[in-house]
Amino acid sequence: MVAVEVFCILSLLLVLGKLCRLAIPFLQRLYLPSSVIGGIIGLIFISFGGNCLPDGSIATISKLPGFLINVIFAALFLGTITPKLSQIFKMALPQLCMGQLLAWGQYVIGLGLAGFILAPLFGINPAFGNLLEIGFEGGHGTVGGLTETFAANWADGKDLGLTVATGGMIFGILLGMVLINWALNKGIISSVRTFDERDHTEKIGIYKASECPAAGKQTVFSDSIDSLAWHISLIGLSILIGYIMLKVLQFAEVKLIPDATTRLFTGFPLFPLCMIGGVIIQLIFQKFKADNLIDHGQMQRLSGAALDFLVVAAVATIKLSVVAENCIPLLIMMAAGVLWSVVLLLFVAPKLFKQSWFECAIAEFGQGLGVTATGLMLLRTVDPESKTVAAASFGYKQLIHEPIMGGGLWTAMALTLVFTIGWLPVWIFSTAMLAVWGIITLIICLNNRK
C-alpha cells in the first residue's frame, strides 16, 4: 500500500502547487513551476506534521527521485536525429563555450571555496564544493540520481544538494528577470513580452481550448500495443542497457584491480549510462530505418511528467535541520556561484557572441543556475517568436554539453572521484578544463573583433 499512498501524496502536492499558482499572482510573476510550489507545501507539511503520514511513505518519497532521473536521461535523445559533431560545432561553438565556462567555473569556485576556505573554517565535507554544479546546473534530478553515492559517502549531501537546486532555480528566475529588464532599458533587446503583456491564460499557465498543442504522435496501432506503453517500454529498455553497462563496469573494476581500497564504479550512479542506453536504442532504430517508431514528442511528455514528480518529491523531503546546520557555507558558495554567472553574462557574452548576445547568454544563465527549463523560459521571454539564432544555437549546444555536464558523465564521475582520490586533483583538473575553454573563448572573441 505504500506505493499507492506515495503516488496519492505526490499527486495531491502537484495539484495543490498548480492551484496555488492559479490563485496567487505573485507566484505567477515568479514563474515558479507547480512542482516546486507543491514541493515547498510538502516540505512544510512533512517538516512540521509528517508524523501523521503512513509509515514508510516519507522514506519511499525520498528514494523516488533516484529512480525518476533514470527515466529522464533515458528519454533524452530517443526520437531525435543527432547531427554530425562538425555541424554542431560550426553552429553552436560560442554557445558551447559559454555553457562550459559556466559549468567548469562552478567546479573551480565550489571545490576551491570548500577545500581551501570553508572546510578549514566550518569543518564541512570537501565534496560540499561539488554541490554548486550538481545543484545549479544539474538540478533536483541530478541530486536525486546521486542519492546512492551520497548515502554511501556523505548522507547530508543529498539534502544540501536539493537546497542548492531549489535556490538556484529561484535565483535563476528572479535574477534572470532583473537582467532582462536591465537589457530592455538599455535597448539591448526589444522583443520582450513582459508579464503584463501576456493574456490571462498564459499568466496562469493554461492553454486556450482552441490552441492546445499536440502532446506527441502515436507511432503504433493500439490494437498491437498502446503507443504510450511502447514508448515507456523503450525507456525501460534504455535503462536496462545502462544497468547492464554499470554492472559490467563494476565487475571489470573488481577483476582488474582486486586489491583496490576504493572503487570508482561502486558508487557510480546509473542515470548517465541510461542516457547512453537511449542513444544506443536510437542508433539501432536509425540503422534499420525504423526510427519513425519513436516519437520525440511522447518522449518529452514522459520525461516532463517524470521531472515534475521528481521535483515535488525531492523538495518535499529536504531535511531542514541539515540545511540549518550548514546555512552559512551554503550561502557563501551559492552567492559565489551566482556572481560567476552574472560576470560571464555581462562581461564575456557581449564579446563571445557576434549577434543576439543577450538572448544567447540569458539561456545559458538560466540553465547555469536553474537547469535547462529555466534557461528556455528566460529565452522565450526575450525571444518569444525565436527570431534570433539563440534557440537553435542553444539546442545544438545541448547535444554536446548535456552528456558531459549538468548531470552528465563528468557530473557523476566528479563526485565519485572526490570521495575516492580527494577534492584537490578534481579541482586541478577542473581548473585546467576551465583554462582550455577560456582560451577557446578568447580566440573566438579576438576573431569577432576582426
Side-chain angles (χ1 to χ4, degrees):
M1 291 295 290
V2 173
V4 176
E5 293 157 351
V6 166
F7 177 70
C8 292
I9 291 169
L10 295 180
S11 298
L12 174 63
L13 290 176
L14 280 172
V15 171
L16 287 175
K18 181 59 181 175
L19 291 176
C20 286
R21 180 161 172 169
L22 283 171
I24 305 173
F26 175 70
L27 294 178
Q28 297 165 20
R29 287 183 176 274
L30 286 181
Y31 297 98
L32 277 182
S34 299
S35 56
V36 174
I37 300 170
I40 293 173
I41 295 172
L43 174 62
I44 294 170
F45 180 78
I46 289 174
S47 298
F48 300 102
N51 292 334
C52 64
L53 292 176
D55 291 339
S57 58
I58 297 177
T60 304
I61 291 173
S62 67
K63 293 177 182 178
L64 198 58
F67 165 72
L68 291 176
I69 189 62
N70 298 324
V71 175
I72 294 167
F73 270 76
L76 200 58
F77 294 112
L78 283 170
T80 62
I81 304 296
T82 306
K84 295 179 179 179
L85 284 176
S86 58
Q87 182 183 356
I88 297 173
F89 274 107
K90 183 178 179 180
M91 292 191 64
L93 183 57
Q95 197 85 34
L96 182 62
C97 285
M98 184 77 173
Q100 291 288 307
L101 286 175
L102 269 167
W104 288 112
Q106 287 173 353
Y107 276 110
V108 172
I109 292 170
L111 287 170
L113 266 177
F116 292 117
I117 300 174
L118 299 180
L121 283 178
F122 299 98
I124 59 170
N125 191 309
F128 200 99
N130 290 68
L131 299 181
L132 197 56
E133 198 271 349
I134 291 172
F136 275 8
E137 184 99 14
H140 299 88
T142 301
V143 178
L146 293 166
T147 296
E148 292 187 9
T149 309
F150 281 125
N153 300 279
W154 178 35
D156 290 348
K158 178 187 173 183
D159 296 291
L160 295 173
L162 292 173
T163 304
V164 174
T166 304
M169 184 177 288
I170 295 172
F171 280 132
I173 294 171
L174 293 179
L175 269 178
M177 297 309 296
V178 169
L179 289 166
I180 287 171
N181 282 299
W182 168 81
L184 185 62
N185 292 331
K186 290 286 185 179
I188 298 171
I189 53 176
S190 58
S191 300
V192 173
R193 291 189 66 222
T194 63
F195 180 82
D196 293 327
E197 291 173 338
R198 300 169 187 244
D199 59 39
H200 177 67
T201 56
E202 196 174 358
K203 289 177 181 178
I204 62 177
I206 295 178
Y207 286 109
K208 295 179 181 177
S210 59
E211 298 177 358
C212 293
K217 296 179 180 179
Q218 297 189 61
T219 61
V220 292
F221 281 96
S222 57
D223 59 358
S224 63
I225 182 173
D226 183 83
S227 186
L228 192 61
W230 166 249
H231 285 79
I232 292 173
S233 299
L234 292 176
I235 290 175
L237 189 56
S238 302
I239 294 173
L240 175 61
I241 293 173
Y243 180 79
I244 292 172
M245 291 173 63
L246 181 59
K247 290 301 177 183
V248 169
L249 289 170
Q250 291 174 344
F251 176 79
E253 186 179 39
V254 172
K255 288 296 182 181
L256 293 173
I257 319 173
D259 299 325
T261 55
T262 57
R263 299 286 183 193
L264 177 61
F265 291 107
T266 297
F268 196 81
L270 175 59
F271 66 91
L273 301 178
C274 295
M275 175 181 61
I276 296 175
V279 172
I280 291 172
I281 293 292
Q282 178 65 27
L283 291 176
I284 291 173
F285 273 72
Q286 287 178 208
K287 177 70 175 178
F288 291 97
K289 301 187 184 305
D291 50 292
N292 61 302
L293 295 177
I294 309 176
D295 178 60
H296 190 57
Q298 288 210 41
M299 289 300 177
Q300 285 182 307
R301 298 286 66 77
L302 289 168
S303 176
L307 181 61
D308 277 335
F309 276 95
L310 183 156
V311 171
V312 74
V315 175
T317 52
I318 294 174
K319 295 178 181 175
L320 293 180
S321 58
V322 174
V323 177
E325 290 173 6
N326 297 272
C327 62
I328 296 177
L330 204 60
L331 288 172
I332 292 172
M333 191 179 66
M334 290 174 67
V338 169
L339 181 61
W340 172 246
S341 298
V342 173
V343 167
L344 285 181
L345 184 142
L346 294 179
F347 299 103
V348 176
K351 300 178 178 64
L352 177 60
F353 298 103
K354 262 190 173 181
Q355 53 181 318
S356 307
W357 73 264
F358 187 85
E359 289 86 345
C360 292
I362 199 66
E364 295 303 327
F365 176 87
Q367 182 183 30
L369 289 181
V371 304
T372 305
T374 304
L376 290 174
M377 185 277 291
L378 294 175
L379 177 56
R380 281 196 294 266
T381 302
V382 298
D383 187 19
E385 298 178 11
S386 298
K387 292 182 178 179
T388 71
V389 300
S393 180
F394 183 76
Y396 273 109
K397 159 256 176 183
Q398 290 294 88
L399 296 174
I400 297 178
H401 182 82
E402 199 74 13
I404 303 169
M405 312 299 287
L409 290 170
W410 173 250
T411 302
M413 188 170 289
L415 182 63
T416 309
L417 287 172
V418 167
F419 289 134
T420 53
I421 65 173
W423 69 270
L424 188 57
V426 179
W427 180 80
I428 292 172
F429 178 77
S430 299
T431 303
M433 290 302 299
L434 180 62
V436 169
W437 284 103
I439 292 170
I440 297 172
T441 300
L442 180 60
I443 293 171
I444 295 174
C445 293
L446 292 175
N447 286 333
N448 289 343
R449 293 177 59 183
K450 294 180 181 178

